[in-house]
Amino acid sequence: MPAFLFAMQPKVNSTANDKDAKSLLFYFGTAAKTSKGTIVKSAIAYDSNIGYGFDSNSVSNVNINPNSFSTTKPTYFSVKVPEGNYQIEIVLGSTETPSNVTIKAESRRLMLREFPIQKGQKITKTFNVNVRSIKIDDQTNISLKDREKEIFNWDDKLTLEFLGEVSIQSIKITPKDNLTVVYLAGDSTVTDQDVEPWASWGQFITNYFDDTVVVANYAYSGSSLSSFKGANRLKKILLQIKKGDYLFVEFGHNDEKIKGEGNGAWGSYSELLKEFVQSAKDKGAIPVLVTPTQRRFFNENGTLKETHGEFPVAMRAVAQKNNIALIDITKMTTVLYEAWGDEVSRKAFVQYPANTFPGQEKALDDNTHFNSFGANEIALCVVKGIRELDIPLQKQIKKETSDYNPNKPNFISSWTLPMSARFEIAKPDGN
């Protein structure tokens, strides 16, 4: 971490304990007292010069109490930190009121879902967040699409988003270099979708791993294996990935559109899959191939149309021939959508009538991209796939995560999650 950032934190812990010495601690409240960190006694807007504050025009949503801050509207708190993996310890609760807290990190990665806290309770929750930059070396950067350049995932700070009925007493941020890192390479069905109502499984699976794991999601909308590599994202992953980490690879939706000699399922697609998984193995990491999610297109008899051609078959063949772990999400989502049926399955996708959101004059009718409910169901499918593989990661899934059966899926009537304040009507790239 840059020296100037620690210098401007007046009370950062400087004990002999190395873990605490590296931590940034924030205590909230007009009566808060501590010698170990920074006391935030007023609702201050984020300022890069001081390195912390309430972000994204949410400062007016914040009430500063004697020993906490509270809010009932979407609120963002950001801290300027360098690239790395961080363990976040948050003390929640209030002596005045009960709480029900949802926490997302960076671009809407779910970390805590609707956690209830009784009046007078004080509870600490811990989770891990990956913070990254586009920089590879002095000459090379990751290539970002224009829509990515202003999102939380690629700025120079760690952003926490608080939703629901929130009371926060303190936040502790500690660099952690001994976590199991799950790297994700994929397209719009995997990426951290920055804005509502779009969502992907990569930003929900974060909620199902224990505090020994962090997810580093490099997927982006519209990507194929070749464009992902060409944007230097594979190069960036391979510079960081270490023995015992994982590389999950899910492509297909956009690879199908690449025509010409040498391309196709059995051409460049298969060859690049081999390159991705071998590169991870060479670093001592464990690659996992994930077949593409199905599109929501039904036949008249209620069965799902196959729109991916031979691409899932080709990925299965690469996995089998090269002894690579595989999660068959194509098969699972076929079962899942057919279990819901044509009409009910719409509730898992971005399908909303006109005027559901401000400025949305036309209906949203997307059969590829998920809303938060659908993305969470796909994440549960991936969790099911991990549990069925002979890899250590299965033991790092939270014990309270229930078994999932795509033939008996959840329904949106039982799903609640506070929506983020930021939204965009334009659909993500890819289809």
Side-chain angles (χ1 to χ4, degrees), residues 11 60 73 128:
K11 296 180 181 178
S60 62
K73 297 179 180 179
N128 302 319

Side-chain angles (χ1 to χ4, degrees), residues 251-262:
F251 290 94
H253 281 83
N254 303 301
D255 304 78
E256 300 161 14
K257 305 166 192 174
I258 302 173
K259 307 301 180 183
E261 186 177 353

